[in-house]
Amino acid sequence: MPRVFHVPTGDRTWRVRSRDRETAGEREAVWEPRGDQGPLGAGSGIVAGYLAPHPPHLVYAENPPQNEPRSQGGWEGLRWAYEDLRNRLRAHRADVIVIHAPHWITMVGHHVNCVPNPRGLSVEPIFPHLLRFRYDFRTDVELAEAIAEQAADDGLVTRKLEIEGVRVDYATITALHLLNPDWDIPVVSLSANNNPYYYSTSSLEDMEILGVATRKAIEATGRRAVLAASNSLSHFHWDREPELPEDMAYEHPYDNHQYRWDMRLLELIRAGRTTELRRFIPEHIEATESETKAGSLTWLLAAMGWPEGLGEVLAYGSVIGTGNAVCAWEIASTASEEVQNAA
């Protein structure tokens, strides 16, 4: 039977000793002292936030052993940007990755996955020939429960998912794998009550509340957290694909209108003009049917306090016509630079 692991506050973290134990039905978690506050000089709290899009094509192109289909590569620009994020994640020595994704759709309330050891087969319903992925990871149950309770205290309808065996959505799995293919960092995953198919942008207000609640829970539990918003930008896409899905000769933006609006949003990120970005996100959704309507990006930036002067665009690329950007907001590195400059 899987065991429940509660990640304590303070100066300890855990690692998985051996992924070979998966065949035996469970893995051993080993507690180890963290030792310091990490090389970037920041303590607990949110240390970074990443825009981490989830097209299944990117995992397909990586050919990980957990995914059944095999590919010849493709979408290298986006995949190389994810390599950059992996290095940053390691440098931050994060205790947990907290992720919000559009495809865990909950019609009533915001749900938080509190299952200690989610595992199973995640199949992309539109592209099952690209993603049939066997996942097995650990949840930071203490933080997950704290986020659910804080969000409820702050006025949101909130539920804790505690049912073993519920399949984890492909968007969550894809982004987590691309960020951390070793799967050795605990996770908290959040549902999309404001999903990209039914509700208007007015529900982005709830995502602001959820973001603040997430930050409060992270700080209260003493975690060193990296946030991941798993969504694409412009979201019109082709309804046909080439015989070889990874044939990059067929890959380009859906149209110039979608592309130009994505560039307007990314210019605001690159310039660190986050206050303007906050106002622009609903306009971008209206113009492009952006997947940010699910609220992932709003949640991430609200949790980080809509920081001015931060924001990097590491890559932009099309996947079946949709616009996808890998972006980073690095709070810990900025804090470290400020300390060094003051010295």
Side-chain angles (χ1 to χ4, degrees):
M1 296 290 292
R3 293 170 289 171
V4 176
F5 293 91
H6 292 282
V7 183
T9 61
D11 62 349
R12 299 176 73 85
T13 186
W14 67 265
R15 63 179 174 83
V16 174
R17 173 170 286 166
S18 173
R19 280 172 289 153
D20 294 337
R21 293 176 182 264
E22 294 176 14
T23 56
E26 72 175 275
R27 295 177 290 172
E28 181 179 358
V30 181
W31 294 102
E32 291 183 335
R34 192 168 65 197
D36 58 29
Q37 296 298 323
L40 294 178
S44 61
I46 297 169
V47 295
Y50 301 141
L51 180 58
H54 58 257
H57 306 65
L58 303 184
V59 169
Y60 167 68
E62 296 270 287
N63 285 322
Q66 300 98 319
N67 197 39
E68 294 174 14
R70 299 290 91 186
S71 81
Q72 299 178 21
W75 304 279
E76 279 75 13
L78 290 167
R79 294 196 292 116
W80 292 340
Y82 262 110
E83 287 184 13
D84 189 345
L85 290 190
R86 293 170 199 165
N87 292 333
R88 294 169 184 238
L89 185 63
R90 289 297 169 190
H92 283 305
R93 301 191 67 188
D95 297 321
V96 62
I97 301 170
V98 185
I99 183 168
H100 187 279
H103 294 294
W104 178 15
I105 298 173
T106 51
M107 300 307 298
V108 178
H110 303 267
H111 294 215
V112 184
N113 192 339
C114 296
V115 176
N117 180 200
R119 51 188 167 182
L121 178 67
S122 187
V123 179
E124 213 285 7
I126 300 176
F127 299 102
H129 60 301
L130 302 185
L131 191 79
R132 300 188 301 276
F133 189 101
R134 296 200 173 275
Y135 60 90
D136 185 347
F137 63 91
R138 298 288 177 178
T139 297
D140 183 339
V141 175
E142 185 181 357
L143 177 59
E145 292 176 343
I147 292 173
E149 291 163 6
Q150 184 64 61
D153 288 346
D154 290 348
L156 297 180
V157 176
T158 312
R159 295 290 184 270
K160 301 174 186 177
L161 173 66
E162 298 173 322
I163 304 172
E164 295 279 355
V166 174
R167 180 183 292 176
V168 178
D169 66 284
Y170 85 89
T172 297
I173 293 301
T174 298
L176 287 174
H177 180 82
L178 291 165
L179 282 170
N180 180 38
D182 290 335
W183 292 91
D184 58 352
I185 301 173
V187 171
V188 174
S189 60
L190 310 177
S191 78
N193 176 240
N194 173 20
N195 66 73
Y197 306 108
Y198 300 103
Y199 299 142
S200 72
T201 56
S202 62
S203 294
L204 292 179
E205 295 176 6
D206 275 10
M207 303 310 298
E208 298 243 13
I209 297 170
L210 183 62
V212 173
T214 300
R215 180 177 72 243
K216 290 178 183 177
I218 288 168
E219 292 173 350
T221 55
R223 298 301 193 268
R224 185 176 173 83
V226 166
L227 306 185
S230 177
N231 57 248
S232 299
L233 299 180
S234 59
H235 212 242
F236 288 157
H237 54 78
W238 315 120
D239 61 2
R240 299 289 186 274
E241 66 178 2
E243 182 177 350
L244 183 68
E246 57 267 38
D247 187 344
M248 292 295 98
Y250 290 87
E251 199 60 273
H252 57 84
Y254 186 85
D255 60 27
N256 186 57
H257 170 86
Q258 300 285 92
Y259 174 78
R260 296 314 314 170
W261 274 84
D262 281 353
M263 291 304 105
R264 289 178 63 183
L265 184 142
L266 294 178
E267 286 291 351
L268 293 175
I269 293 176
R270 293 177 68 239
R273 290 153 55 188
T274 315
T275 301
E276 292 180 55
L277 176 63
R278 187 180 192 175
R279 295 192 296 264
F280 183 73
I281 287 173
E283 295 180 42
H284 181 260
I285 292 169
E286 183 68 24
T288 68
E289 292 298 323
S290 173
E291 203 174 31
T292 57
K293 182 186 266 190
S296 303
L297 180 59
T298 298
W299 160 81
L300 180 145
L301 291 170
M304 301 178 75
W306 294 95
E308 284 289 307
L310 296 182
E312 300 173 78
V313 178
L314 306 182
Y316 177 85
S318 296
V319 181
I320 62 168
T322 64
N324 296 269
V326 177
C327 301
W329 290 264
E330 301 280 358
I331 291 180
S333 57
T334 301
S336 180
E337 289 171 5
E338 291 175 353
V339 170
Q340 293 173 8
N341 292 337

